[in-house]
Amino acid sequence: MSAAREIPAAVLGRQIAAADPERSVFVSANAGSGKTHVLAQRVINLLLRGTAPEKILCITFTKAAAANMATRVFDTLAEWTALDDAALDMKIKTSTGKASDADARARARRLFATALETPGGLKVQTIHAFCTRLLHQFPFEADVAARFEVLDDAATSQLLNELTLDVMSKAAADPDSPLGRALAAAITAAADITFKEVIAEAIGKRDLITQWLARAGGVPQAIDELSRGFGLAPGDTLQAVENEYFSSPHISPPEWPALIAVLATSDKDADRKQGMRLEQAMRAGGRDRIDAYLDVFCTGERKGRSSILTKNFAAANASWAAKLDAEKERVCALVAREFALRARDRSAALLTVANAVIERYRATKDRRGLLDYEDLIDKTLALFRNTAAAWVLYKLDLGIDHVLVDEAQDTSPKQWEIIKTLVAEFVGGGARENVRRTVFAVGDEKQSIFSFQGAAPLAFADNRRHFKALFEDAQAAFVEERLEYSFRSGPVVLGAVDSVFAREQAFRGLSHDPVKTVHQAVYADAPGQVEIWDLIAPDEKDGSKEGWDAPFDTTSETSPAIKLAGKIARTVKAWCARGTRPRDVLILVRQRGPVFEAAIRALKREGIAVAGADRLVLTEHIAVMDLLVLGDALLLPDDDLALATVLKSPLFGLDDEQLYALAHGRKGPLRSALRAKAAADPAFAAAAAALDQLTHQARARTPFAFYAHVLGAMGGRKNFLARLGIEASDPLDEFLNLALDYERRETPSLQGFLDWIRAAQSEVKRDMEMGRDEVRVMTVHGAKGLEALNVILIDSTTTRPEGAHPPRLLTAPIPGAPPGTDALIWAVARDKDAGPMTTARAAALDAARDEYRRLLYVAMTRAAERLIVCGTKGVNKSPDGCWHQLVLDGVERRLRA
């Protein structure tokens, strides 16, 4: 076994400086630079200095990160208890940069027991866990139920879905009410399913809606502000604009026949087509007449035509040309107003319905004593702002001396406010004098990829300046450190990263400072390889038509996604044949789609162990679908399709021939046929007996007890794992957890549970840091914090930077309102930009492109030794594969250098 490589002194010096417990420090750390190690090192140094474990608060981004951090600290302290003096001295010096003595060694050996015996243990937790603990400690001051429950994502989704359906049903039942009119307006703009999705997005921005309505004074007042934002009067209507199209035109309808006759004399098709458009408008009525008339002056996107008539024909008919140009200006102005009105009305409808759902959601939570994750943050902030609760901060001040923040670039503005409030007590004459107290934050703006969860990348630099000023005013030590050395990747991979992000096109929006990236490898001789594969295009069509009975939802074996997946699988198989372990391969996609599923299938076909999807909707997993349809078959004995599905599932294991023999020629329900033929086939007899037993169990037991029996005593879990592999274990466990959770919230019944779980659309997030020897296939978001020797990026450089779909909800400032007060606008793809939408859409697209660059950075820096960038040609790709070319150019330039 080779000895551990020595870390260069310069790298150790940076780590020791960042982990110095005597100073407050903000650390900017590149990917793979060991920021988690430095954070754990600082905690240990604080303990070595004599800080009580309970006075250290370490805030991490996820529960997994918190567990990992605590494990690192405890593992290190446990190791120290068994070291001899010389080895322990070396460990202490590596951690603190200082020589140790007998007292330091004795204290170091006691730290493990001290940390274990601390009441409540080390405070290494997420910000939500900290808030939960605080609110449970001070429920009266925080105005929360004394024994409140925290809604998880599944329960929140299910409750919001239920309330949304209730609100929409109420609106449909009373179409003349404000809510009913809002629903009618919304449904004309989008299908009901799309509208539900938009409502869910709006509810995710409920802070904005709540603050807007509170300041405006209600929904009607907010809609009036929305009108002013679009340059409209509150009473303006779409009908009034439609009436204006023909009320005072520069060319009146009686003149149209003459104009049509003139246009017909042109020798140019373009002019004659204009005459045909006008003739179509003359024959049509209602809205069809308006649309046909607009075709004369506007393109299909309803932008004004560059020219109404051809140049020579316009010169020969100057009078008509002048009238047409004047009419175009008038019509285009009306079109702009029409788009503004449609956007105003659509946004107003969304605001009305979303507010109704939000109010019901808030009332339901208050009635049941529930808090969601956003409530935890809001209630904690409200508690801190409450002057009557100043003694809460006093008590906290007695309990916290040091605050450490991990993954600080993903901390939201509200979460920063909580941290600021805690730290302000450190330097503002808090409860205790003469105690050195510090704040430590480590993060990397370049890896901020969770804006959809409220992360604000630029807030890291803003808060660094805030805390620097705060501590310098108090004459307390505060420093900024940078960790640029990578323990993960070698110079080849890092050189490729720096070459790609050396151009302004790539590093723009990557961080607060618009500069190119700089990385250094800890070990200059580390191996490395970067490959850029040619983009895979679809095969040329052979001219034959696809059969009418061909499945519409399958992917052709000649599609780019299938071909690329096959090439990847063959490549990985070749690696494994040369000694690479499957766990050393990480395959990343920007988003789940055909190529994601194709890669998993291709790997399985090649006999390579693969972990399966990192995240999936629970009710879409085949094992869970079989369990749900089992419930359907028991509740509805005449549902032959459900029963046939169950009989073919791993729970019963009948094959196609047995099912055909059972079903063909039957006179009644399939269940009756099964009983009738039980004597003829032992498999039928066993299935009939099992179904009878399960029918009794379903009536007598709760959903959890019933499904625990199916998966346990009946052998269902063993059968599922035998057919589907170990990856089915997580969905089955989560299914049982949800059954237990359902029983805590609702009156337990099988029918109620089936309806509840299908509505909840719960997701399973699989732990990809697991020790199983399997290839991991996941999104770049899911791979944050992970690494592998070999990384393959699929379509990360070929999809459009701004995303496959334009943003639907935009935020724009309200004219005349205080700064920071925004309106929520529902945009659709066919909209012509109107009023504030132009600026709002541009800002949203810029933010999406910036995050795309950070996603690419995160993806490339997961690789330790080998990086492959590949992709497909097709729809929703970046123009001419420009980002793929940018990466290719950067790698080639690096190789030439």
Side-chain angles (χ1 to χ4, degrees):
M1 187 174 181
S2 61
R5 303 182 68 177
E6 184 176 349
I7 301 174
V11 180
L12 277 177
R14 288 283 186 90
Q15 291 185 338
I16 291 171
D20 183 0
E22 300 297 321
R23 310 177 299 173
S24 292
V25 184
F26 255 59
V27 182
S28 297
N30 282 342
S33 59
K35 56 181 177 290
T36 304
H37 169 77
V38 170
L39 187 62
Q41 193 174 334
R42 186 177 178 95
V43 172
I44 292 171
N45 290 349
L46 286 168
L47 297 174
L48 275 173
R49 197 185 67 174
T51 302
E54 65 270 18
K55 296 190 179 298
I56 301 172
L57 173 62
C58 183
I59 295 174
T60 60
F61 188 60
T62 64
K63 294 177 182 178
N68 181 42
M69 177 64 58
T71 299
R72 284 194 182 216
V73 172
F74 279 112
D75 286 350
T76 300
L77 298 181
E79 179 190 4
W80 285 8
T81 63
L83 295 177
D84 58 31
D85 288 354
L88 184 57
D89 286 346
M90 181 60 67
K91 290 288 186 181
I92 294 175
K93 185 173 183 180
T94 301
S95 182
T96 64
K98 301 175 182 177
S100 61
D101 52 24
D103 289 341
R105 287 193 295 271
R107 187 163 56 252
R109 291 190 172 106
R110 290 195 302 268
L111 287 180
F112 181 63
T114 301
L116 283 179
E117 295 169 358
T118 299
L122 281 172
K123 297 175 184 174
V124 183
Q125 53 197 195
T126 65
I127 189 71
H128 295 106
F130 168 75
C131 293
T132 301
R133 189 171 181 177
L134 182 68
L135 296 176
H136 275 303
Q137 189 176 357
F138 302 103
F140 179 77
E141 295 80 1
D143 191 27
V144 298
R147 295 187 178 182
F148 67 84
E149 290 185 36
V150 179
L151 283 168
D152 59 18
D153 290 337
T156 299
S157 174
Q158 191 274 337
L159 180 57
L160 285 172
N161 185 65
E162 175 185 315
L163 295 176
T164 300
L165 289 175
D166 286 346
V167 168
M168 294 177 72
S169 297
K170 180 181 178 182
D174 189 3
D176 294 328
S177 66
L179 198 59
R181 290 193 296 271
L183 179 62
I187 294 301
T188 60
D192 54 349
I193 295 177
T194 303
F195 183 48
K196 283 182 61 180
E197 293 172 352
V198 175
I199 290 177
E201 286 187 44
I203 292 171
K205 299 178 181 293
R206 60 182 178 273
D207 282 349
L208 184 154
I209 293 175
T210 302
Q211 293 169 9
W212 180 17
L213 296 183
R215 187 201 52 76
V219 173
Q221 294 85 349
I223 293 175
D224 288 347
E225 290 185 343
L226 194 61
S227 295
R228 291 198 298 273
F230 280 101
L232 302 169
D236 286 349
T237 64
L238 187 61
Q239 183 62 50
V241 172
E242 290 182 343
N243 292 338
E244 284 188 50
Y245 278 115
F246 305 115
S247 61
S248 56
H250 292 280
I251 304 175
S252 62
E255 297 177 274
W256 290 1
L259 177 56
I260 293 170
V262 171
L263 292 170
T265 64
S266 176
D267 59 355
K268 299 293 185 182
D269 287 341
D271 297 322
R272 291 197 298 271
K273 283 183 180 179
Q274 288 289 61
M276 292 185 333
R277 292 184 180 113
L278 189 58
E279 186 175 3
Q280 183 179 359
M282 186 172 64
R283 293 175 178 174
R287 182 68 210 188
D288 291 340
R289 189 183 199 199
I290 294 174
D291 290 335
Y293 188 63
L294 292 180
D295 288 339
V296 176
F297 304 97
C298 304
T299 64
E301 296 179 350
R302 291 302 180 243
K303 294 180 180 179
R305 294 184 183 276
S306 58
S307 60
I308 307 299
L309 303 177
T310 59
K311 184 176 180 181
N312 292 337
F313 191 73
N317 298 273
S319 176
W320 283 116
K323 286 185 177 182
L324 286 169
D325 286 338
E327 182 66 357
K328 184 185 82 169
E329 295 300 319
R330 188 187 75 88
V331 165
C332 286
L334 290 174
V335 167
R337 278 188 68 198
E338 182 178 334
F339 274 111
L341 279 164
R342 291 185 186 278
R344 191 273 315 265
D345 293 346
R346 187 172 56 244
S347 302
L350 174 64
L351 178 64
T352 302
V353 177
N355 180 61
V357 177
I358 291 169
E359 287 183 346
R360 287 197 178 197
Y361 181 54
R362 185 186 302 116
T364 301
K365 287 187 297 180
D366 291 345
R367 186 173 65 253
R368 299 183 186 179
L370 304 172
L371 298 179
D372 61 20
Y373 290 137
E374 286 299 313
D375 294 330
L376 296 174
I377 302 297
D378 291 339
K379 292 291 186 180
T380 300
L381 282 173
L383 174 63
F384 285 167
R385 292 168 184 156
N386 185 358
T387 55
W391 72 282
V392 171
L393 288 173
Y394 173 82
K395 290 182 72 68
L396 279 179
D397 198 20
L398 290 171
I400 298 175
D401 283 344
H402 305 276
V403 174
L404 298 86
V405 184
D406 188 20
E407 301 287 3
Q409 78 280 350
D410 292 322
T411 304
S412 70
K414 283 186 178 181
Q415 294 168 0
W416 274 118
E417 286 301 315
I418 292 176
I419 296 168
K420 285 179 181 178
T421 305
L422 294 174
V423 175
E425 294 295 300
F426 291 5
V427 295
R432 285 171 295 121
E433 303 275 338
N434 303 321
V435 176
R436 191 185 300 273
R437 310 168 77 190
T438 65
V439 61
F440 173 88
V442 59
D444 182 11
E445 294 167 290
K446 302 187 297 299
Q447 297 187 68
S448 181
I449 57 176
F450 294 102
S451 61
F452 59 89
Q453 293 183 351
L458 301 184
F460 181 75
D462 294 338
N463 284 285
R464 179 177 60 208
R465 289 191 292 268
H466 168 84
F467 285 112
K468 182 179 181 180
L470 184 69
F471 278 83
E472 287 180 350
D473 288 346
Q475 297 183 342
F478 183 94
V479 296
E480 302 173 28
E481 294 286 350
R482 298 191 69 87
L483 300 179
E484 296 177 344
Y485 286 90
S486 173
F487 288 86
R488 175 185 302 154
S489 308
V492 174
V493 173
L494 294 178
V497 173
D498 284 343
S499 295
V500 170
F501 291 99
R503 304 184 186 185
E504 183 182 359
Q505 181 185 4
F507 67 66
R508 188 190 310 121
L510 202 62
S511 63
H512 181 270
D513 300 318
V515 295
K516 63 182 181 180
T517 62
V518 177
H519 295 80
Q520 299 183 64
V522 172
Y523 308 113
D525 59 346
Q529 178 181 346
V530 179
E531 297 180 27
I532 311 294
W533 290 357
D534 291 335
L535 299 180
I536 294 183
D539 289 346
E540 294 291 335
K541 294 184 177 180
D542 60 5
S544 61
K545 294 185 178 180
E546 188 176 49
W548 67 270
D549 57 347
F552 69 89
D553 57 351
T554 59
T555 305
S556 169
E557 291 297 319
T558 61
S559 74
I562 298 296
K563 292 195 293 184
L564 178 58
K567 181 177 180 180
I568 290 170
R570 291 190 296 273
T571 301
V572 174
K573 186 175 183 179
W575 291 347
C576 293
R578 294 194 294 268
T580 298
R581 296 179 302 175
R583 65 181 297 178
D584 291 332
V585 179
L586 179 62
I587 300 175
L588 300 179
V589 297
R590 185 179 176 190
Q591 59 188 16
R592 297 170 190 87
V595 72
F596 177 81
E597 301 293 341
I600 295 176
R601 288 195 301 269
L603 289 166
K604 289 181 177 179
R605 279 199 302 266
E606 294 291 346
I608 300 167
V610 59
D614 62 323
R615 182 178 298 194
L616 55 89
V617 176
L618 188 63
T619 51
E620 293 179 0
H621 190 276
I622 186 64
V624 174
M625 293 170 69
D626 285 341
L627 292 174
L628 295 178
V629 82
L630 170 64
D632 294 336
L634 297 177
L635 291 171
L636 298 170
D638 291 340
D639 189 341
D640 289 353
L641 179 59
L643 180 56
T645 304
V646 170
L647 292 176
K648 277 203 65 179
S649 75
L651 294 172
F652 292 89
L654 299 188
D655 57 28
D656 287 336
E657 287 75 14
Q658 289 174 308
L659 191 59
Y660 180 80
L662 177 65
H664 180 64
R666 70 187 188 280
K667 300 301 183 180
L670 189 62
R671 183 79 173 268
S672 300
L674 181 65
R675 291 196 186 99
K677 296 183 179 182
D681 190 324
F684 294 166
L691 282 171
D692 290 340
Q693 181 193 19
L694 289 175
T695 301
H696 173 73
Q697 297 281 350
R699 294 170 180 168
R701 296 192 175 193
T702 65
F704 173 79
F706 169 71
Y707 281 113
H709 171 76
V710 171
L711 294 174
M714 184 178 165
R717 179 185 292 272
K718 180 180 68 175
N719 294 338
F720 278 126
L721 298 185
R723 183 182 296 186
L724 303 175
I726 192 66
E727 69 180 74
S729 190
D730 288 341
L732 293 176
D733 290 341
E734 182 64 17
F735 180 80
L736 288 178
N737 289 338
L738 286 178
L740 200 58
D741 187 55
Y742 168 77
E743 292 179 15
R744 290 193 301 107
R745 302 177 186 277
E746 307 287 346
T747 303
S749 71
L750 181 59
Q751 182 175 350
F753 172 66
L754 296 180
D755 178 69
W756 179 84
I757 195 171
R758 282 172 169 142
Q761 292 289 294
S762 177
E763 281 192 334
V764 176
K765 303 174 185 178
R766 305 183 68 235
D767 180 14
M768 289 302 186
E769 292 187 87
M770 55 197 174
R772 296 201 293 265
D773 192 16
E774 298 171 330
V775 175
R776 293 167 289 176
V777 185
M778 59 198 310
T779 62
V780 179
H781 282 100
K784 180 74 185 325
L786 302 182
E787 61 181 74
L789 292 178
N790 310 280
V791 172
I792 301 175
L793 306 187
I794 306 177
D795 279 348
S796 292
T797 57
T798 56
T799 51
R800 298 181 65 85
E802 60 271 21
H805 305 287
R808 287 188 292 202
L809 294 187
L810 306 175
T811 57
I814 301 171
T821 305
D822 290 335
L824 194 65
I825 300 172
W826 178 9
V828 296
R830 64 177 180 271
D831 268 348
K832 177 181 177 182
D833 289 339
M837 292 179 65
T838 303
T839 304
R841 179 175 281 131
L845 292 176
D846 283 344
R849 294 181 185 118
D850 289 346
E851 182 148 315
Y852 168 82
R853 298 179 181 98
R854 296 192 293 271
L855 272 169
L856 181 59
Y857 173 82
V858 170
M860 294 184 70
T861 54
R862 299 309 93 195
E865 294 184 0
R866 182 191 282 122
L867 172 67
I868 292 179
V869 181
C870 57
T872 60
K873 291 183 178 179
V875 297
N876 285 330
K877 307 303 178 189
S878 57
D880 300 323
C882 63
W883 274 93
H884 193 81
Q885 189 63 43
L886 184 66
V887 174
L888 176 60
D889 291 347
V891 172
E892 287 187 340
R893 187 166 63 251
R894 172 68 184 172
L895 293 176
R896 288 196 299 270

